[in-house]
Amino acid sequence: MSVLVTGGAGYIGSHTCIEMQNAGYDVIVIDNLDNSSKESLKRVEAITGKAVKFYENDVRDKDALRKIFTENKIEAVIHFAGLKAVGESVREPMMYYNNNLISTIALIEVMTEFGVKKLVFSSSATVYGVATEMPLKEGMPTGAINPYGRTKLFIEEMLRDLYVADSEWSIALLRYFNPIGAHKSGTIGEDPKGIPNNLMPYISQVAVGKLEKLHVFGNDYKTVDGTGVRDYIHVVDLAIGHVKAIEWALGNKGCEAINLGTGNGTSVLQLRDAFVKASDVQVPYIIDPRRPGDPDEVYANADKAAQLLGWRATRGIEEMCEDSWRWQKNNPNGYEK
Ligand code: NAD
Ligand code: UD1
């Protein structure tokens, strides 16, 4: 059975291609390589021993999508393609609305033309906005505090409207918490362009000597040690969550928001310490002021994924750090030769 993976050359997409192929699916990828390289898919093929059919196209290009749906018998779609940097979305909001919204609209229209109504969408815990209560549960109020977050929220709402209008659809809105880690092979992983915004790639680039020290954004939060707490999830667990979501979509109809997190919180300094232990490399740090807009704590209630998809994350912080480090150490410049 063939599944189209948009944005499949990216960080989460490439890991999901592996788990989908391992589960027996044929994987077709569309990616414009805006934030990735073809090399990731070559490495996916080397890991699984199975071919990935690749189309280098923009998801906003409806003719390109029609060609893909004509040439392949696609049963379902996992939609990762999108821009994801919060700071950039504040500086370039129209670029984010254009890319994230138009690509999703084009995809839905072409899926409808071809009668394919099973979709797994990459949403984010960011759709909970400024939450007053933890852990986050799917039924809690949503909101957004930046253009990136608004694109995710608008798309969720749009997909809910789609299901209300046509109950033949099966749509899983997967709200990811903080994906880190890499495939055990150490050959694929997160490859951010420029200086990383997110914590784990920053820590690993300090460890490998590309950055001098970690800047801890604030140590006066109401948390275990004053530094921000997040729900880090191993990207392979997350990828397996997509296989489960596809299985759900193939056997059910509906539109469901589902948290993909572990339910456990880890502070910045706890993650840094776990990384030092796993890598046996020093990660010097200084305490800087808070990053504007960062909440004290964000973590999931992960029960709905267990009930609906039969999925729970199984990999702990230590394994996440070991696997992030193996990827970084073996590929100090990411996919660049
Ligand atoms: P990524 O940038 O590594 O992957 C996204 C992929 O989509 C890239 O390969 C990029 O080239 C491609 N792409 C972007 N716009 C495209 C377009 N118009 N047409 C075709 N391809 C396009 O990011 P990721 O971390 O793998 O994230 C995947 C998805 O998950 C994104 O939608 C992101 O918003 C969402 N998400 C990510 C995180 C995270 O922390 N990584 C958290 C929550 C949600
Ligand atoms: C980021 C995204 C958010 C997305 C979430 C899940 C930003 C601003 N927000 O949030 O939209 O939903 O990932 O993937 O990118 N930290 C440091 N030093 C650093 C980097 C981070 O101390 O150099 C701290 C932060 O203050 C935070 C924690 O580490 O407490 C995690 O930060 P980050 O990895 O950026 O993730 P989120 O802030 O959760």
Side-chain angles (χ1 to χ4, degrees):
M1 183 182 296
S2 296
V3 173
L4 177 64
V5 180
T6 79
Y11 173 46
I12 306 171
S14 55
H15 286 83
T16 300
C17 287
I18 292 177
E19 299 308 324
M20 289 292 290
Q21 289 189 324
N22 287 345
Y25 294 95
D26 292 323
V27 169
I28 294 147
V29 167
I30 174 171
D31 199 305
N32 63 5
L33 303 181
D34 183 82
N35 195 38
S36 53
S37 82
K38 243 187 275 187
E39 181 61 23
S40 64
L41 294 176
K42 286 199 195 126
R43 296 188 186 185
V44 166
E45 290 177 331
I47 290 167
T48 62
K50 292 183 188 156
V52 174
K53 194 163 178 187
F54 177 58
Y55 290 85
E56 186 175 341
N57 289 111
D58 195 297
V59 180
R60 288 168 291 187
D61 180 347
K62 285 173 77 176
D63 287 335
L65 286 175
R66 287 190 186 104
K67 184 167 182 282
I68 297 173
F69 278 85
T70 304
E71 289 180 359
N72 303 279
K73 194 174 163 1
I74 290 164
E75 307 275 345
V77 179
I78 308 180
H79 181 35
F80 291 108
L83 300 176
K84 62 164 185 176
V86 172
E88 185 182 57
S89 82
V90 175
R91 293 189 300 275
E92 301 273 358
M94 293 322 294
M95 187 166 94
Y96 273 67
Y97 289 120
N98 188 314
N99 195 345
N100 294 2
L101 298 183
I102 308 284
S103 62
T104 309
I105 293 169
L107 178 66
I108 296 302
E109 287 177 349
V110 175
M111 287 176 73
T112 307
E113 279 174 33
F114 284 81
V116 178
K117 297 188 176 180
K118 297 173 191 318
L119 177 69
V120 174
F121 171 64
S122 296
S123 188
S124 165
T126 193
V127 301
Y128 290 107
V130 185
T132 49
E133 221 188 303
M134 289 296 149
L136 294 168
K137 273 192 91 154
E138 290 84 352
M140 285 180 174
T142 52
I145 54 170
N146 53 61
Y148 165 70
R150 267 183 284 280
T151 67
K152 293 295 178 191
L153 199 52
F154 292 166
I155 294 168
E156 280 204 3
E157 297 292 354
M158 195 169 80
L159 295 175
R160 266 190 214 97
D161 288 340
L162 177 66
Y163 176 71
V164 169
D166 178 358
S167 58
E168 287 300 304
W169 279 85
S170 326
I171 304 170
L173 310 168
L174 300 184
R175 294 175 175 171
Y176 313 153
F177 283 69
N178 292 56
I180 60 171
H183 187 263
K184 275 273 174 281
S185 63
T187 59
I188 67 165
E190 188 171 12
D191 183 18
K193 289 204 172 118
I195 296 176
N197 296 308
N198 299 113
L199 182 60
M200 181 53 104
Y202 205 103
I203 290 179
S204 36
Q205 291 198 13
V206 173
V208 85
K210 292 182 76 177
L211 296 167
E212 191 195 337
K213 53 178 172 286
L214 170 65
H215 297 257
V216 175
F217 299 149
N219 66 350
D220 57 352
Y221 287 103
K222 284 196 216 88
T223 62
V224 57
D225 57 17
T227 66
V229 164
R230 298 290 182 274
D231 186 341
Y232 298 97
I233 172 167
H234 197 298
V235 67
V236 173
D237 275 330
L238 193 66
I240 294 168
H242 289 75
V243 178
K244 298 288 186 187
I246 281 291
E247 282 165 10
W248 172 83
L250 291 171
N252 298 275
K253 293 186 172 45
C255 180
E256 298 283 350
I258 306 164
N259 288 343
L260 293 186
T262 66
N264 303 317
T266 304
S267 77
V268 175
L269 289 180
Q270 285 171 339
L271 189 69
R272 179 256 173 209
D273 292 349
F275 188 95
V276 168
K277 195 164 166 235
S279 65
D280 205 18
V281 171
Q282 281 315 302
V283 178
Y285 68 91
I286 53 163
I287 306 294
D288 271 10
R290 291 181 177 202
R291 180 170 68 182
D294 274 356
D296 304 47
E297 295 196 316
V298 180
Y299 55 94
N301 174 312
D303 291 345
K304 186 171 174 185
Q307 284 149 14
L308 205 66
L309 310 180
W311 171 93
R312 268 198 197 278
T314 60
R315 293 159 178 81
I317 284 290
E318 195 183 324
E319 191 171 349
M320 299 182 211
C321 291
E322 283 168 4
D323 294 344
S324 288
W325 175 233
R326 188 178 305 106
W327 154 252
Q328 183 70 67
K329 187 178 49 172
N330 294 349
N331 305 270
N333 298 314
Y335 290 109
E336 242 174 57
K337 291 249 161 53

